[in-house]
Amino acid sequence: MQEVHCSFYKKINELDDGTYSIARYHAISEVPKLALWKQDIFTVLGRDLPRQKNREIIFYGEWKENIYKKRKSLQFHAERFKVLLPETKEAIQEVLADEVPGIGKKTAKAIVDAFGTDTFHVLKEPPKHETIPRIKLMAVRNFIKAEERKERLCYLMGTYDLKKGQARKVLKAFGEDATEMLDANIYNLYKAGISLADIEMNHEPSEEEKNDTIRIRCGIYSAITRLCKNKGHTFIYENDLINETYYVMHKSVPKATIMFALDYFKSQLVDESIVYEDGKFFLQEYYDAEMLLNKMIRERLGEKILSEDERAKMIEEINDLAREEKILLASQQQEAVIKSQIYNLSILTGGPGTGKTLTIDIMIKCFLKRGKSVLLMAPTGCATKRMISATHYENGGTIHSKLGYFLDDEFVANRMVNEDVVIVDESSMIGCKLFRDIFTQVRPDATLIFVGDKDQLQSIEPGQVFTDMIDSKVIPTTILDHIFRQGQNSMIPINAKLINEGNPKMIWNERDFQLIRIEGNDKMIEEEISKKIPQIYEMNYENREYSDVQLLSPLRKKFSRSGKVALTSTEYLNPVIRDLINPYATPDSKEYVETYGKRFYMGDKVLETSNSNINGIVNGDIGKIIKIDPKDFTITIQFDEKTVKYKKENFATLTLAYGVSIHKSQGQEYPIVIIPLMKSYHRMLTRRLLYTAVTRAKEKVIFIGSLAAFFMAVNDDFSEARNTNLLNLLTQKAQ
């Protein structure tokens, strides 16, 4: 491995796969003449290349030949790098002022005057100083530690071919012992949450390694992780885990050997990744989350009995508030409001049109009248915005924005919620870890109210906390089942209720619940649906906002596992719809950027698919491109009230959003939804999925496809039961 000393000149580009960047550097050590671009400048390719100015950088890697426009040159391919802290007073002062938060030029000079060229050595453990505030010295200490951490991350990434997020997990799991653990056995990476498939992308196991004990444990960990992620389980039964491990390891290890390896976890030996209890195998994080939830739910429970006079007085106060709003509450709604006022923890659930939002509105007014502060939260920005708009109460935000931040798409909950009352909407969408974060970050004496529709799709993340809490019957719960009007004589809530009950006898009409029927063989139906959806979209889009019409499909991916094009998938239909309705998407248009195999035009409707933490934009947020700069390769997107500029490196997480999967639509509402129906969807199109899609619509639902497929979905609920332990824990305690 060769070594080059240099300093940063400028960044050139990011390769289309998003993994490598290209930058130019000033050579400090000697480099081959063929590598020089001009004067002492040469080119480096690598991952997360450093861009700190006035810092010496050491790259480790090798020179490789490059041919561009018939001209040969050498480029340095960096496997890893080290960014050195400066040693001269002038350079130290510049780095302190430019790179350390909270340190300006004046303080930087004072620090260097006090500690000289030993500044970065001395301030690893800051001594007391008479004139320099300790908070400033601690800021420098934190900077030094962050630099050391970056160096270790870079070493792990280069030496073991890890991504940055994986390297962070390794450091968190092993700390200073990371190198020793991985040198001893690369499959120890599973203890840092890295799967067998990811490990063996860069490491081909030898015949001897295939039966290695730690590799088999890694396979077991990968199998339980995959089942939890794909099925929503928090634990796996032994036979299911053996079979899944067998396939995860590509049948390279006999099932009997896997059974023997499971004894390691059964024996209660120390392993911080998998827990065995009562015939169930848990990932540690889900085991801990459910155990903590059980404890914290129990701590919030307590009987509060009202006398008849107290109850009558409370009902009178609630009705007075309702009359001020010129509304009349049903008895179920009154009961929900009463429970919210007398219990620290309660649940409100019901389908569309049953008055959940109206009930929340009266709850809020009751709390405010009593001088309580209230916070509204929901899993998505759209759900939060809808909640705020309907209640006219402004103090609200997404759960993630109120509780913490994202680091490499992992959520870190570190903010305490200080309000007296927290109301959480769309609770069925929340997985067990985020539920845990809500309980831990909300004050123990605060009132917590969870609201949602228990019959919608469950959370994408493992767990079914909302359902388990309701089914436990230990938490005060109100179920709203009377349908009020959703618009004048709307069939949407009525038919949604029929779907949920397994009754396929819909009340069809062309006004708000329409079926465009196509029958025949699967291939013909798919082709016809694919042709008609863009036309239907265009017809309903006329004179409307970009967000008013939405295609909701069970399918997202353009290609099936067999490589066949899925003509009703959102990835296939999105560009087709865009080309039809976006006036900027023309063959001669220059108002676009293209990267990662995707093209974005001015005016495009786009979806953020990760928790990027770009100005608070989170997974599921939909916006419109309002500006494109092809020269700078940037796009500006309007997300509701937020305007955000995306650089090229952020494009990978954006996708077109004229159509989204039904799963991705959870927590959203659209005036008009279009839903394709095909028998070939098989077990994907379940009753719960259909119900979720229908309840996204405010004004009109348009089904297109096979009526037989609709009947299959309504009559046969293929939704698999989730393996979760919370219900068992709550009911055991209640007995």
Side-chain angles (χ1 to χ4, degrees):
M1 187 179 291
Q2 295 171 293
E3 184 179 309
V4 178
H5 291 241
C6 56
S7 61
F8 178 70
Y9 173 60
K10 75 172 182 178
K11 179 183 174 183
I12 300 300
N13 211 338
E14 194 113 43
L15 298 188
D16 277 350
D17 61 5
T19 56
Y20 275 78
S21 54
I22 307 171
R24 291 200 171 116
Y25 294 83
H26 291 284
I28 295 175
S29 61
E30 188 175 343
V31 300
K33 287 185 178 180
L34 200 57
L36 295 175
W37 176 61
K38 65 178 181 180
Q39 298 173 347
D40 62 345
I41 299 170
F42 67 100
T43 304
V44 178
L45 281 78
R47 288 192 293 190
D48 297 297
L49 294 178
R51 285 177 273 174
Q52 292 96 324
K53 294 181 179 179
N54 303 315
R55 300 274 294 275
E56 184 176 340
I57 300 161
I58 305 175
F59 282 114
Y60 303 90
E62 59 181 321
W63 295 102
K64 290 187 179 181
E65 187 176 83
N66 178 61
I67 299 176
Y68 180 68
K69 293 184 179 180
K70 299 182 180 180
R71 178 179 177 270
K72 285 185 180 181
S73 65
L74 291 176
Q75 295 179 333
F76 196 80
H77 288 240
E79 291 187 17
R80 57 187 177 89
F81 58 82
K82 182 188 293 187
V83 181
L84 304 181
L85 289 169
E87 296 179 349
T88 66
K89 287 185 177 182
E90 294 78 9
I92 292 170
Q93 187 173 323
E94 192 168 346
V95 167
L96 289 174
D98 291 347
E99 297 186 37
V100 182
I103 303 294
K105 291 182 179 180
K106 185 177 178 180
T107 305
K109 185 178 185 305
I111 291 172
V112 173
D113 288 345
F115 303 107
T117 55
D118 288 334
T119 294
F120 290 121
H121 174 73
V122 173
L123 294 187
K124 284 184 178 181
E125 295 299 334
K128 291 183 180 179
H129 195 274
E130 292 181 0
T131 59
I132 304 172
R134 183 157 183 79
I135 192 170
K136 301 293 185 181
L137 299 180
M138 290 302 292
V140 179
R141 171 188 176 272
N142 293 338
F143 168 75
I144 296 167
K145 286 191 174 295
E147 290 294 298
E148 291 172 346
R149 178 178 169 80
K150 286 178 189 175
E151 185 178 330
R152 290 198 296 272
L153 283 173
C154 184
Y155 179 83
L156 290 171
M157 290 166 66
T159 306
Y160 304 104
D161 205 10
L162 301 174
K163 297 174 183 176
K164 184 185 279 187
Q166 292 173 335
R168 281 200 175 108
K169 288 179 180 179
V170 170
L171 269 186
K172 183 178 179 181
F174 303 131
E176 298 293 336
D177 299 327
T179 301
E180 183 181 343
M181 289 291 290
L182 300 191
D183 286 344
N185 193 314
I186 193 66
Y187 291 101
N188 277 322
L189 281 168
Y190 88 86
K191 295 177 182 178
I194 299 172
S195 70
L196 180 74
D198 285 341
I199 295 169
E200 293 189 346
M201 279 180 66
N202 305 308
H203 177 81
E204 182 70 29
S206 64
E207 287 301 315
E208 184 180 350
E209 279 183 312
K210 283 183 179 178
N211 289 303
D212 178 79
T213 303
I214 296 180
R215 179 176 182 265
I216 297 170
R217 291 175 192 165
C218 177
I220 292 169
Y221 170 83
S222 301
I224 191 172
T225 300
R226 191 162 85 171
L227 283 171
C228 288
K229 182 179 178 181
N230 293 345
K231 304 291 187 181
H233 302 320
T234 59
F235 70 83
I236 311 298
Y237 290 108
E238 184 167 347
N239 284 341
D240 294 332
L241 185 52
I242 291 168
N243 291 331
E244 186 71 12
T245 303
Y246 183 63
Y247 288 106
V248 163
M249 302 191 77
H250 307 292
K251 304 180 182 180
S252 62
V253 177
K255 289 186 179 182
T257 305
I258 296 169
M259 290 176 65
F260 181 76
L262 285 174
D263 290 338
Y264 168 78
F265 300 107
K266 290 181 181 180
S267 65
Q268 300 299 311
L269 293 173
V270 176
D271 189 294
E272 296 182 357
S273 55
I274 296 175
V275 175
Y276 175 78
E277 186 176 275
D278 298 331
K280 305 165 186 174
F281 290 89
F282 298 80
L283 284 176
Q284 181 80 51
E285 57 186 329
Y286 301 129
Y287 178 83
D288 290 345
E290 288 191 311
M291 293 296 286
L292 185 58
L293 275 168
N294 175 56
K295 177 177 179 291
M296 300 191 83
I297 287 170
R298 286 290 155 199
E299 288 172 351
R300 287 181 178 271
L301 294 179
E303 281 194 50
K304 295 190 178 181
I305 301 171
L306 294 177
S307 67
E308 288 188 14
D309 288 344
E310 288 172 329
R311 184 178 182 83
K313 184 178 179 182
M314 186 170 285
I315 290 174
E316 187 179 344
E317 289 177 0
I318 291 168
N319 287 334
D320 285 345
L321 288 169
R323 278 192 289 271
E324 288 175 14
E325 299 296 312
K326 297 181 180 179
I327 57 176
L328 180 64
L329 291 181
S331 59
Q332 290 175 331
Q333 293 171 306
Q334 288 179 353
E335 193 63 35
V337 178
I338 291 172
K339 286 176 181 175
S340 74
Q341 305 300 305
I342 65 175
Y343 293 107
N344 280 347
L345 176 62
S346 63
I347 293 171
L348 173 64
T349 184
T354 56
K356 293 192 300 293
T357 304
L358 192 62
T359 307
I360 294 170
D361 187 26
I362 300 301
M363 285 179 183
I364 293 170
K365 287 177 169 55
C366 282
F367 285 121
L368 295 177
K369 186 176 180 180
R370 292 167 54 199
K372 301 285 187 179
S373 57
V374 181
L375 174 66
L376 307 180
M377 296 199 301
T380 67
C382 287
T384 306
K385 181 184 176 185
R386 191 173 69 244
M387 197 179 181
I388 290 170
S389 174
T391 60
H392 307 290
Y393 184 73
E394 295 294 327
N395 187 26
T398 64
I399 298 169
H400 296 104
S401 69
K402 292 298 179 181
L403 300 189
Y405 64 94
F406 283 94
L407 179 64
D408 290 330
D409 226 24
E410 288 286 325
F411 183 62
V412 180
N414 68 339
R415 298 176 192 151
M416 288 300 297
V417 174
N418 294 315
E419 279 82 358
D420 301 315
V421 181
V422 178
I423 302 175
V424 184
D425 200 6
E426 297 290 354
S427 298
S428 65
M429 293 177 60
I430 307 171
C432 70
K433 290 201 294 183
L434 191 54
F435 251 108
R436 171 206 63 198
D437 292 338
I438 294 170
F439 273 92
T440 55
Q441 300 307 117
V442 172
R443 280 173 24 209
D445 62 333
T447 297
L448 253 178
I449 303 162
F450 291 101
V451 183
D453 184 346
K454 64 183 178 63
D455 297 313
Q456 284 185 20
L457 283 172
Q458 293 170 331
S459 61
I460 294 174
E461 296 299 318
Q464 52 179 18
V465 178
F466 190 61
T467 300
D468 285 345
M469 288 197 302
I470 293 170
D471 291 345
S472 74
K473 295 182 169 50
V474 300
I475 298 160
T477 300
T478 304
I479 300 174
L480 303 180
D481 54 14
H482 177 74
I483 296 175
F484 300 94
R485 294 187 303 171
Q486 176 171 334
Q488 191 170 1
N489 304 317
S490 172
M491 289 297 105
I492 295 173
I494 295 170
N495 285 334
K497 190 171 187 290
L498 291 173
I499 290 170
N500 194 39
E501 292 170 349
N503 185 347
K505 296 179 180 179
M506 300 293 105
I507 304 171
W508 301 102
N509 62 59
E510 293 191 4
R511 180 173 54 81
D512 62 6
F513 209 87
Q514 183 179 8
L515 171 66
I516 299 172
R517 190 172 176 182
I518 301 171
E519 301 293 352
N521 61 56
D522 286 343
K523 183 179 179 182
M524 187 270 283
I525 292 174
E526 183 181 37
E527 289 174 350
E528 282 299 306
I529 291 175
S530 183
K531 288 177 187 175
K532 284 185 177 294
I533 281 178
Q535 299 168 9
I536 295 166
Y537 199 111
E538 183 184 32
M539 185 169 59
N540 285 275
Y541 184 76
E542 189 175 353
N543 299 321
R544 283 187 169 269
E545 293 294 322
Y546 78 96
S547 58
D548 283 358
V549 183
Q550 191 66 52
L551 165 66
L552 303 181
S553 175
L555 300 179
R556 176 182 64 85
K557 294 183 179 180
K558 183 176 180 179
F559 296 100
S560 66
R561 290 181 180 178
S562 63
K564 180 187 172 185
V565 176
L567 299 179
T568 61
S569 66
T570 59
E571 286 185 359
Y572 177 83
L573 286 169
N574 263 322
V576 178
I577 295 170
R578 184 264 306 282
D579 291 348
L580 196 62
I581 69 169
N582 186 349
Y584 294 96
T586 60
D588 57 346
S589 173
K590 295 181 180 178
E591 295 285 324
Y592 72 87
V593 291
E594 189 167 13
T595 187
Y596 302 110
K598 294 179 280 191
R599 177 177 288 194
F600 297 109
Y601 285 92
M602 176 78 169
D604 265 343
K605 181 180 180 181
V606 291
L607 170 77
E608 172 60 62
T609 62
S610 78
N611 294 306
S612 60
N613 219 29
I614 301 173
N615 287 3
I617 303 304
V618 297
N619 188 350
D621 282 352
I622 290 178
K624 182 179 182 180
I625 297 176
I626 58 173
K627 183 180 179 182
I628 286 182
D629 190 332
K631 290 183 179 179
D632 290 343
F633 227 81
T634 61
I635 56 179
T636 303
I637 305 174
Q638 185 72 46
F639 291 98
D640 294 329
E641 291 84 16
K642 289 183 180 178
T643 302
V644 181
K645 181 179 281 190
Y646 274 67
K647 297 179 181 179
K648 184 180 178 181
E649 54 263 33
N650 307 129
F651 289 0
T653 60
L654 281 180
T655 185
L656 293 174
Y658 300 94
V660 299
S661 69
I662 296 172
H663 277 90
K664 186 65 76 174
S665 73
Q666 289 185 88
Q668 318 278 8
E669 275 190 349
Y670 316 95
I672 300 171
V673 300
I674 303 167
I675 307 166
L677 288 168
M678 288 177 57
K679 286 189 289 185
S680 61
Y681 292 152
H682 298 301
R683 298 176 73 85
M684 291 184 64
L685 193 58
T686 64
R687 183 189 303 165
R688 194 182 284 262
L689 193 80
L690 200 65
Y691 174 80
T692 301
V694 167
T695 54
R696 300 308 89 209
K698 292 190 289 185
E699 298 175 15
K700 187 175 185 179
V701 177
I702 304 171
F703 285 102
I704 174 168
S706 168
L707 183 60
F710 182 87
F711 286 164
M712 285 172 57
V714 175
N715 287 321
D716 297 311
D717 186 6
F718 298 122
S719 299
E720 293 185 46
R722 292 191 172 190
N723 299 337
T724 63
N725 200 39
L726 182 60
L727 176 59
N728 177 53
L729 292 169
L730 290 172
T731 51
Q732 275 184 349
K733 293 280 185 176
Q735 291 172 356

